Amino acid sequence: MQLNDELAMVDSMVDELDWQEARRRADILSKLPDRPCDAEVRAAMNALAISRATLFRWLKRFRQDERTSTLLPGRRGPTAGMQPFDRERYEQPTFPFVIEAAR
C-alpha cells in the first residue's frame, strides 16, 4: 500500500488529532535504535507518557507493520461484537457440590 493511499484511508476514518498523535508516537519510536539502552527507553517513556511495557508493545507493533496507523489511539470500551457477561450463567453451579464434614 502506498503512503498516499494509507493517508487517504486513515484521514477518512480518524480525526486529525488522533492522526497527529499517531505521527508523534511514530516519530519518537522511529528514532529508537534496534537495541535501545535504558536511558533511551526512559526518555521515550517520558516523552510518550506511557509505561515500559506499553512502549515495547507499541515498538514491536510499529516495527512489524511499519505504518503510522498502527499507533493510532485505541477506542475505549468494548469492541464491536462483544457479548456482555452473563452473570446468571456463571453464578449457578453446573453440577451439585457435596460437602462432607471432616471426621
Side-chain angles (χ1 to χ4, degrees), residues 15-29 47-50 58 68 71-74:
D15 70 7
E16 183 63 26
L17 291 177
D18 285 345
W19 182 245
Q20 286 176 4
E21 178 61 18
R23 290 178 65 194
R24 185 180 77 85
R25 293 172 179 180
D27 183 51
I28 293 168
L29 293 177
L48 296 168
I50 57 173
W58 287 1
T68 302
L71 298 171
L72 284 166

Side-chain angles (χ1 to χ4, degrees), residues 9 14 18 23 32 36 41-43 52-53 65 75 78 84 87 95 97:
M9 178 184 72
V14 297
D18 285 345
R23 290 178 65 194
L32 288 174
V41 169
R42 275 189 266 118
R52 183 180 186 90
D65 199 334
R75 185 180 154 272
R87 188 170 301 279
F95 56 91
F97 289 97

